[in-house]
Amino acid sequence: MPKESGQKVVATNRKARHDYTIEDTYEAGLVLTGTEVKSLREGKASLVDGYAFIDGTEMWLDAVHIPEWGSGSWTNHATRRKRKLLLHKAQIIKISHKTKEGGYTLIPLSIYFSEGRAKVELAVAKGKREYDKRQALRERQDKREAQRAISSRRHLGE
């Protein structure tokens, strides 16, 4: 069987960019069991409630839902278990200092396969307040309306 190449996105956390201001992003490997990998290859996962935390010198991903594999038996995995993340020690220390500053959290943005290996894109993020969310939405709408006005002027001038 030929080795996989490229990137295949399994799941994304679209709500994360709405609820958080993203500071930095990191790519981390995932330690998974066989049935978890098979379930991910079918494109099943949910990052909605997921978060990452640092315990000593290790980083863990928690509350990410990877459903049981359909053809699995007693060997199936727990759907919402802690999964170890693979990062360099220097990266873990850097992230640890950032999250200890206060107000910052670690959230998964996406799970994907890169060159056949399961990876997770982590973000060091700060939670947005309700008025920040409304302001960002208003700015996007204003920008969209301005773009429409410019394009309608172009079509009228031709």
Side-chain angles (χ1 to χ4, degrees):
M1 191 158 144
K3 188 176 178 184
E4 280 187 44
S5 62
Q7 227 179 24
K8 179 190 171 205
V9 177
V10 176
T12 57
N13 189 352
R14 294 193 311 246
K15 199 171 181 194
R17 297 194 189 275
H18 180 262
D19 292 341
Y20 297 94
T21 303
I22 309 297
E23 298 288 322
D24 288 327
T25 59
Y26 296 91
E27 180 183 68
L30 272 167
V31 177
L32 300 170
T33 63
T35 55
E36 287 175 321
V37 175
K38 290 177 180 184
S39 190
L40 282 178
R41 290 207 186 277
E42 289 178 350
K44 298 177 181 173
S46 174
L47 301 172
V48 175
D49 298 326
Y51 64 95
F53 64 93
I54 298 170
D55 184 24
T57 59
E58 296 179 335
M59 188 173 286
W60 297 87
L61 184 66
D62 200 8
V64 170
H65 184 266
I66 299 175
E68 291 183 345
W69 185 48
S71 302
S73 58
W74 58 271
T75 57
N76 256 335
H77 60 279
T79 56
R80 288 188 185 267
R81 70 176 187 89
K82 280 190 341 183
R83 294 168 180 91
K84 189 173 181 180
L85 294 175
L86 304 173
L87 282 162
H88 292 287
K89 191 173 185 178
Q91 287 178 317
I92 293 174
I93 291 168
K94 186 178 177 183
I95 293 170
S96 173
H97 289 306
K98 191 76 171 174
T99 55
K100 284 180 183 173
E101 282 179 16
Y104 288 100
T105 187
L106 292 167
I107 54 167
L109 295 177
S110 64
I111 292 180
Y112 55 93
F113 284 99
S114 178
E115 304 298 325
R117 300 194 190 283
K119 305 281 185 182
V120 62
E121 184 182 15
L122 280 178
V124 177
K126 193 170 203 147
K128 283 185 184 176
R129 293 195 168 68
E130 199 62 40
Y131 59 84
D132 290 337
K133 294 177 192 177
R134 284 194 297 264
Q135 185 178 1
L137 184 65
R138 196 174 302 118
E139 286 173 4
R140 260 198 315 267
Q141 287 174 342
D142 291 344
K143 206 178 283 184
R144 198 175 298 132
E145 287 173 12
Q147 206 62 34
R148 282 189 192 133
I150 290 170
S151 65
S152 67
R153 283 187 193 140
R154 279 193 201 133
H155 292 299
L156 292 174
E158 290 178 359

